[in-house]
Amino acid sequence: MKKLLLGNAAFARGLYEGGCKFISSYPGTPSTEITEEAAKYDEIYAEWAPNEKVAMEAAIGASIAGARSFCGMKHVGLNVAADPLYTASYSGVNAGMVIAVADDQGMHSSQNEQDSRHHAIASKVPMLEPSDSQECRDFVMEAFELSEKFDAPVIVRTSTRIAHSQSIVDCEDRKELPLKEYTKNPQKYVMMPAYAKPRHVFVEERTQKLIEFAETSSLNRTEINAGTKTGIITSGAAYQYAKEALGDTVSYLKLGMVNPLPVKLIKDFAAKFDEIIVIEELDDVIETHCRKIGVNTRGKDIFGYIGEISQTIIAEKLLGKKNESVSLDENIPVRPPVMCAGCPHRGVFYALSKNKITVSGDIGCYTLGAVAPLNSMDTTICMGASISALHGFNKVRGAEAEKRSVAVIGDSTFMHSGMTGLVNIAYNATNSTVIILDNSITGMTGHQQNPTTGKNLKGDPAAAVNLEELCKAIGIKRVRVVDPYKLEETEKAILEELEAPEASVIISRRPCALLKYVKHNPPLKVENDKCKSCKMCLKLGCPAISIKNGKACIDHTQCVGCGICAELCKFDAIV
Amino acid sequence: MATKSVMIVGVGGQGSLLASRLLGNVILAKGYDVKVSEVHGMSQRGGSVVTYVKYGEKVFSPVIEKGEADVIISFEQLEAARWIPYLKKGGKVITSVQKLDPMPVITGAASYPEDLIEKMRAKGIDVTAVDALSLAEEAGNAKASNVVLMGVVSTKTDFEDEIWQQALEQCVPPKFLDLNKKAFELGKNAAK
């Protein structure tokens, strides 16, 4: 059966066919749809965990219990889950365990461009890298087999272009597997020094066996074209770019397993050609390995370490070819992403911007508060850092900073790793003000449930964390809730809490305007005779409001009638 | 057959994902190899978005680069203009006449260029411009302008109407099917 599937959907198909029984993940672009698609198969139990560390630990537990298990995350999520990963490498698996990590070359939706292969190398865990949707499905199934054969969790690394490209996939039926027997085995599963030392020996021996496997596995394949003088070593999306640019004018060694890398296979391939070029995105992992085993290559001197490679970059750098193209000789204004019309975060950021508050930001849709016209963010580091970094900032700058600074963090991000930062504020006492932007969903990744929403991944009712009670239990006495559509009330709450003599939490509560169950008001209109063209409403950065013929104008297809522009208008021109 | 490259461009939230899925399913039904590359995540929030559709005997790279697109399908004028350098010599543009101000225009830091469609034509580009938004509203929902535009596209391809109709049935939830079929027809008629 042939289907046109997104890389992530093909990945989910591989999990299904490969007999996966348990999934625990945390959403992160471009990995999210693997878990969403897999959750559609009734045979698989799937959940959103509060963060990637919890997800991976849950998947490890399920594997030890005897079920093939999976956890998926984006590249930066693997940093959060690195702790269990490095030890799961030692303890290994019972039933197979597969980890998806989705890198984001080009930073389409991420705060950095790290290369996850380093985690596979450092944790000594095998890593596969598919080049299209068919390979996503095939490699996941192979990864389960490898995991059980070599007693290791196996990482499958994708990238934005693989995860979010659809291509044709040949699908088969699911292989239903019984639970493997669980036998108590502390020497394998209790990683304290006495038991971990022999496991490290095991890990090193396993790596040697994996290298032997890599020499002959069909995951790594050569494509020799007669008469060619250049050999290309490549993997992942870069393989596709190379094939498109260079066709059969070169030969290829396509590596489907990127950790550990083969030795003899590469040496034998290299011996056939005058010149070897490694085409790999981000870091020089394959190239460094080649040098280490005495194979001279070019690579990063041509392609560099930054962003995505493409067929035109390869054609230009290696063949000196450049496509002809036309341009309009016109200054085309950029169109950066913006907070949606009716976004509940807008009111909070307007109040912060107006009062020139220092804002310690976090990861989510609300990071868009950093851009014009709100320009209301000073820092964004990683998930959860808004709260912990604000504490450090305030500790060294003292009372004056405490009265002029806040942290902003979404509900899902707060559950992920913000609450531990709040514990630190309470425990180590800064007079910090934290705003939880509770839009009742994980927004940026496309509406995933989280522990505060009262629903689980399948949409069924679930326990909901009560944020007010949680913050109080942590030791924050001043906790209040505001509606960010009420501009005046929101601003007043922020200013009062900044002045308060102790730490406080403001929960800005209003569901995401894109949620299907949210009822919208009729779109607002500008009464032209009342509009004085003061442009006050434009300060909100609402994509539905613009100036047409000198007067404010509201796009009725976008406006959801949130009313904050009407609150702001001094002339009652917006109705 | 040489690989054909189609770009679907617009503003996040305009429905380019459905448009690309429709086209992808039509191509699959015709038995070609196909890749459809989408953008999810942050850029979807009102930013400039682009989807690449490539088909032929064998497709390798999922992305389309400057000077490679046979067709650009655009939901918005400024976005059509933005991606013109990606058009191959002799390539076609099919665009909605809709204009959406980007944030730099809203804040006054930049202005929306005038007469973009005329300027594209002055460069010798084959441009088909339709009022997809009004037609979608006529069909019953402004959100269906993506399907109106695909109706226009269907008249510029060799793919049979029957295959387009099947793709609509595969990609659109049953309760919106009638509305979308009407939108598709309006698009087809507008192209004539």
Side-chain angles (χ1 to χ4, degrees), chain A residues 56-345:
Chain A
M56 189 174 293
E57 289 156 351
I60 292 168
S63 157
I64 293 172
R68 284 193 167 182
S69 71
F70 168 77
C71 61
M73 58 203 67
K74 67 185 294 176
H75 58 337
V76 285
L78 191 57
N79 302 339
V80 178
D83 198 2
L85 172 68
Y86 283 55
T87 301
S89 171
Y90 278 35
S91 56
V93 303
N94 180 15
M97 174 173 163
V98 172
I99 300 155
V101 60
D103 282 8
D104 189 15
Q105 292 91 330
M107 286 182 273
H108 297 274
S109 211
S110 305
Q111 69 270 37
N112 75 31
E113 202 173 17
Q114 69 185 54
D115 188 329
S116 297
R117 291 178 296 176
H118 296 297
H119 271 308
I121 295 166
S123 66
K124 307 190 183 214
V125 159
M127 177 182 261
L128 311 187
E129 185 171 35
S131 288
D132 59 18
S133 297
Q134 181 69 57
E135 286 191 349
C136 284
R137 178 248 178 217
D138 297 348
F139 283 18
V140 170
M141 295 175 69
E142 176 81 17
F144 274 128
E145 299 295 327
L146 288 183
S147 173
E148 288 172 6
K149 184 175 172 193
F150 290 96
D151 191 13
V154 175
I155 304 175
V156 180
R157 177 198 190 214
T158 70
S159 64
T160 297
R161 296 303 182 190
I162 301 302
H164 286 163
S165 289
Q166 301 178 57
S167 58
I168 298 169
V169 181
D170 220 342
C171 304
E172 286 172 25
D173 292 334
R174 175 176 168 92
K175 188 168 69 175
E176 198 61 61
L177 299 168
L179 274 189
K180 285 196 165 190
E181 196 186 338
Y182 168 70
T183 327
K184 186 169 176 170
N185 185 355
Q187 285 80 6
K188 178 160 156 47
Y189 296 124
V190 179
M191 286 299 94
M192 57 187 199
Y195 296 155
K197 281 176 187 171
R199 290 302 292 180
H200 188 193
V201 176
F202 163 80
V203 166
E204 297 306 326
E205 287 167 359
R206 180 180 72 198
T207 298
Q208 290 312 308
K209 287 181 189 155
L210 281 161
I211 293 171
E212 275 170 46
F213 171 82
E215 305 289 5
T216 55
S217 166
S218 59
L219 289 165
N220 298 327
R221 66 164 197 263
T222 52
E223 296 173 23
I224 306 290
N225 290 306
T228 52
K229 296 192 167 68
T230 301
I232 302 289
I233 304 178
T234 185
S235 72
Y239 163 77
Q240 305 288 4
Y241 305 141
K243 286 286 281 188
E244 182 146 330
L246 307 171
D248 53 11
T249 64
V250 297
S251 293
Y252 300 88
L253 171 55
K254 180 193 178 295
L255 297 169
M257 184 164 176
V258 291
N259 189 60
L261 288 163
V263 176
K264 187 167 179 299
L265 181 66
I266 291 175
K267 283 185 176 171
D268 289 352
F269 177 76
K272 293 190 177 83
F273 303 99
D274 296 348
E275 177 188 40
I276 293 293
I277 300 172
V278 175
I279 304 182
E280 61 187 320
E281 290 180 318
L282 302 180
D283 292 344
D284 50 359
V285 171
I286 299 171
E287 191 178 347
T288 301
H289 171 77
C290 288
R291 296 242 166 80
K292 199 169 140 190
I293 62 171
V295 170
N296 206 9
T297 77
R298 297 189 64 199
K300 288 297 156 194
D301 59 321
I302 305 169
F303 297 107
Y305 295 82
I306 299 166
E308 297 182 289
I309 296 178
S310 70
Q311 63 270 23
T312 49
I313 291 173
I314 296 171
E316 197 180 326
K317 303 264 186 189
L318 298 185
L319 308 174
K321 278 208 302 207
K322 228 178 159 177
N323 288 337
E324 261 185 84
S325 75
V326 259
S327 91
L328 284 188
D329 320 314
E330 190 74 38
N331 200 2
I332 309 283
V334 294
R335 188 186 302 273
V338 291
M339 285 180 198
C340 307
C343 177
H345 303 326

Side-chain angles (χ1 to χ4, degrees), chain A residues 109 166 311-312 335 338, chain B residues 36 38 42 45 61 65 79:
Chain A
S109 211
Q166 301 178 57
Q311 63 270 23
T312 49
R335 188 186 302 273
V338 291
Chain B
V36 181
E38 307 168 347
M42 186 179 254
R45 301 278 171 260
S61 168
E65 294 266 299
E79 294 310 309

Side-chain angles (χ1 to χ4, degrees), chain A residues 6 18-19 54 63 67 77 82 91 93 121 145-146 181 215 269 314 354 367 372 375 447 468 476 509 517 571:
Chain A
L6 202 62
V54 174
S63 157
S91 56
V93 303
I121 295 166
E145 299 295 327
L146 288 183
E181 196 186 338
E215 305 289 5
F269 177 76
I314 296 171
K354 181 183 164 196
T367 316
N375 299 314
H447 287 174
E468 295 89 313
I476 307 294
R509 181 166 288 149
Y517 69 79
F571 309 103

